[in-house]
Amino acid sequence: MSFNSKIKTIEWVDNVSRMIDQTILPKEFKLVDIKTCEEMYDAIKTMIVRGAPAIGIAGAHGVALAAIEAKKSVQTRKDFDKILKEKGEYLKSSRPTAVNLMWAVDKQLELLSEDCSIDEITQKLIDNAIVMENEDIEINKRMGDFGAEIVPKGATILTHCNAGALATVGYGTALGVVRSAYAKDPTIKVFADETRPRQQGASKKMIDVVITGADRIAANGDAANKIGTYTVAISAKYHNVPFYIAAPLSTIDRTIKSGKEIKIEERNREEVTHINGDWICSEKVNIINPGFDVTPNELIAGIITEKGILRPPFEESIKKAFEE
């Protein structure tokens, strides 16, 4: 299977959300149409769509789908708004760690303050979802260009988990930096850690820089990312290898002070005990399956965003980025 860079991971098409089914990659490439808010919840929950930025856009699409459904059954804006707010909270509960989901849903719900008809607000929600979808690609390209500045010539880069085009609408966060760096210097090399059981992604002083994505970043710079990221960050610190996070500003949750407040999603035990429906371990084995861990800010050299690279002290640089 060859990857077509013109194909979006998720795209609004003819009043449905069309996305790549990532649960069957790389064996099969299939596009699925999500037609209802409930289907979107399931697509996010079961990781048909994955990666914080892509999940965010899925949430925005989900609100638009909820609006299309709601306008068929309600007569007043008050009832319409009530349903949309309920559906928004429902969508946000599908993946509790990825703050991009909460951000995107809330950005959609902010439109409910506008005084217009049900048909008009529905169209505004659809249009805004498409705007956010297209902006995601541009944001990631800007992040890639800023991040390329920290990649030494001929460097070997280590990344961890799902941070490429499939984690976004179509360019990538950490691997977006790699793409931009490679465009300037085709001699760079990449090691991609693979995290199980979801197969996301696939040392003897071989690594010059580590770049990963993130699912939520606290106001002090602590960052939650796929389980195993913290281990990589510790190793990088010990060996004096700079560790960077590449994530849009929408991943930063300034309502929480530190990573201690980040809710870590506990995934289903069957994701570990089974592959393709078959048991791969004893049924008596106890399973703990957290989806994420938190890397403390002191291990992070910088956070690569669409507004540039944020450096320690992160409380100050994060605050400044949102004021600009």
Side-chain angles (χ1 to χ4, degrees), residues 96-98 216 259-265 292:
T97 302
R216 181 176 295 195
K260 294 179 181 179
E261 299 176 57
I262 297 176
K263 181 178 181 181
I264 300 300
E265 178 184 1
F292 306 88

Side-chain angles (χ1 to χ4, degrees), residues 181-193:
Y182 182 81
K184 297 179 180 179
D185 176 16
T187 68
I188 65 169
K189 298 177 286 295
V190 181
F191 285 86
D193 280 349

Side-chain angles (χ1 to χ4, degrees), residues 155-157 189 191 203-209:
T156 298
I157 304 167
K189 298 177 286 295
F191 285 86
S203 91
K204 302 176 181 178
K205 296 185 178 180
M206 297 171 66
I207 305 301
D208 298 295
V209 61

